[in-house]
Amino acid sequence: MASISKFNSALLTVPNELTVAAANFNINFSLMKVEAPKEFHGLRDALSRIRRRDAEEGLPHITARTLGALFESVIPPIPHLTTAYGKRVSEISQHLEEASQHYLPTGLFADRAGPDGTSIWAAATSGQSAIAVHFLACMLARIWKPTEATSLWAELVERRKEQIHQAYNSSNATGASAIMAAQQIFSRDQFSSWDASARSWLQTADSVKCVQQTQLMLIINNIHMPVNANRDPYDGVLRAWTSALSAVERLVSGVPQRVQDGAILLAISSWHLYPDIQVLGDVIQDISQKDELTAGSLLTISISAPSATRDGIFWSLPLSRMRYYSPPVTVERHFALDTSRITMAEFQVVFLGAVVGRWARLCSDEERWCRLICRRCIESDKFDTSTP
């Protein structure tokens, strides 16, 4: 009888041990590190000590590893693109390192001096699928504002988790890494940090590749093209991302491509790979970008008629994670040479704030001052129209 009780107790402890083991694997899964491709070693050497540690062991690595596992099954093979991108980020990093040899960083932020390639190195040490996810981060950071990109990441991850759970419950083949990644919990701060690192890198790379980037932007400025017409955020983003990955992979491999939508242009501007371009308009123009990484490739673009309302590439999506307890907010963003400039209406608001802010010592009610200004403007208009 004692033996039977002991056997029953042993049976009861097995599930607990399996649960603990699974939990430990679930925690350690996101900390797994792989050997980064050698093409990325130039970036590694340029990173500060703290940034490299964060990329290999901290939250950026966890984010890259988990996102890579979540989306691994939807990512097309991109071996040539990965190699070319590794060479490009190493080239940019080495250029910055050579330019900064004349001074040594000191002070409070010395450990974070240099290029912010944290998300890139985190992705490179997390596998090729994580590098592809970094590509998506750059595309979103290029055209969307930080809060909008964070909202998109939240929706993409939530929808992808639902797909994985549905596939698993339907007894469809599902990778173990995807199942483990679907159990992870993401925070908006995590998405925000991931997006911020990509934005920082875009600014750095833009400054180094300013000639080729400006030439590309001048072309984009004369194009009026949507990224795609899909209004579903998840399907639209995945379609733009995967189609851009496949197209640029073929470009880097030397296969000519024709622009079908704005996704590929958004991609090459975000990944700083510059194929030669043939522009089909009233006059055919051949533009050589002299990029060794895309030598022999040709991208053909047809310029459409000028638009009075939209310049460059535009993307419109309903963002359901922008605000709590509210319906989706439809947002449209443009990507062109002058999209970083504020509009005249925005400048007027800034000017009004600067003026009213100086009157705070007399009266802290800004709304009252604004009403006074509006009333004076109306009276002034009436006076101007009444005078001959």
Side-chain angles (χ1 to χ4, degrees):
M1 192 69 177
S3 300
I4 294 175
S5 299
K6 186 176 181 180
F7 179 71
N8 289 335
S9 299
L11 287 177
L12 290 173
T13 59
V14 169
N16 292 332
E17 292 172 357
L18 288 175
T19 302
V20 172
N24 289 334
F25 179 76
N26 203 24
I27 294 171
N28 295 331
F29 154 78
S30 57
L31 294 175
M32 292 173 60
K33 186 171 69 172
V34 302
E35 180 65 28
K38 62 181 181 180
E39 291 81 11
F40 289 84
H41 288 181
L43 169 69
R44 175 200 63 189
D45 298 338
L47 288 177
S48 65
R49 178 178 55 84
I50 288 183
R51 283 191 171 130
R52 182 175 173 182
R53 184 190 64 193
D54 289 345
E56 294 179 354
E57 303 172 4
L59 187 61
H61 184 83
I62 294 174
T63 305
R65 179 79 179 103
T66 311
L67 290 176
L70 267 179
F71 293 96
E72 185 174 11
S73 62
V74 301
I75 298 171
I78 50 170
H80 297 94
L81 173 56
T82 301
T83 299
Y85 187 71
K87 292 179 179 178
R88 178 51 35 88
V89 298
S90 292
E91 171 198 330
I92 292 171
S93 301
Q94 289 168 359
H95 174 86
L96 293 170
E97 195 171 23
E98 291 172 1
S100 62
Q101 284 181 350
H102 301 291
Y103 66 91
L104 293 175
T106 58
L108 184 62
F109 300 104
D111 288 337
R112 295 193 177 274
D116 184 2
T118 308
S119 63
I120 304 175
W121 187 245
T125 55
S126 299
Q128 188 157 296
S129 59
I131 296 174
V133 173
H134 165 74
F135 288 148
L136 175 58
C138 290
M139 290 179 68
L140 296 181
R142 177 65 85 184
I143 194 168
W144 298 101
K145 293 183 178 180
T147 53
E148 296 162 355
T150 300
S151 172
L152 278 170
W153 276 114
E155 184 159 1
L156 289 173
V157 168
E158 183 176 329
R159 294 276 295 275
R160 182 59 185 157
K161 283 183 175 182
E162 291 175 359
Q163 283 188 346
I164 293 172
H165 289 147
Q166 289 173 2
Y168 178 76
N169 293 331
S170 301
S171 300
N172 294 330
T174 308
S177 59
I179 296 173
M180 290 297 177
Q183 306 302 317
Q184 303 296 315
I185 298 175
F186 291 87
S187 66
R188 290 186 73 91
D189 288 341
Q190 196 171 349
F191 294 135
S192 180
S193 298
W194 179 250
D195 173 72
S197 181
R199 287 178 192 276
S200 177
W201 174 256
L202 287 180
Q203 293 180 358
T204 300
D206 286 350
S207 64
V208 174
K209 309 299 292 184
C210 59
V211 175
Q212 292 162 311
Q213 188 71 15
T214 302
Q215 195 166 22
L216 175 62
M217 292 306 301
L218 288 171
I219 297 171
I220 291 176
N221 217 48
N222 291 289
I223 295 173
H224 315 283
M225 187 180 296
V227 172
N228 60 46
N230 197 317
R231 299 284 295 172
D232 181 84
Y234 180 80
D235 294 336
V237 171
L238 251 66
R239 177 185 166 190
W241 175 35
T242 54
S243 65
L245 288 173
S246 298
V248 180
E249 168 70 16
R250 289 191 290 268
L251 272 175
V252 174
S253 303
V255 180
Q257 298 293 299
R258 186 184 182 93
V259 172
Q260 303 294 335
D261 53 38
I264 185 173
L265 293 173
L266 179 62
I268 62 176
S269 70
S270 304
W271 307 339
H272 301 93
L273 297 169
Y274 305 100
D276 293 342
I277 298 175
Q278 185 178 68
V279 181
L280 305 180
D282 296 334
V283 178
I284 298 178
Q285 293 180 309
D286 293 316
I287 301 169
S288 175
Q289 291 279 47
K290 299 181 176 62
D291 188 348
E292 295 179 356
L293 298 180
T294 58
S297 61
L298 180 66
L299 183 65
T300 304
I301 305 173
S302 297
I303 293 184
S304 58
S307 171
T309 58
R310 289 170 170 167
D311 290 328
I313 300 167
F314 54 93
W315 202 353
S316 179
L317 289 173
L319 306 182
S320 61
R321 300 296 183 273
M322 277 286 289
R323 301 171 184 166
Y324 293 105
Y325 311 114
S326 72
V329 179
T330 299
V331 180
E332 180 171 296
R333 288 286 168 245
H334 303 257
F335 176 54
L337 194 61
D338 58 351
T339 48
S340 61
R341 303 173 186 172
I342 64 172
T343 64
M344 183 55 68
E346 291 171 334
F347 175 75
Q348 290 171 347
V349 172
V350 173
F351 181 76
L352 176 62
V355 172
V356 174
R358 298 179 64 88
W359 299 343
R361 288 178 295 179
L362 300 176
C363 178
S364 60
D365 189 353
E366 293 89 353
E367 185 177 350
R368 185 178 178 184
W369 285 118
C370 291
R371 286 199 301 268
L372 174 63
I373 293 173
C374 292
R375 187 165 62 249
R376 292 300 184 188
C377 290
I378 294 172
E379 292 174 356
S380 176
D381 289 341
K382 289 180 179 179
F383 177 77
D384 290 341
T385 56
S386 62
T387 55

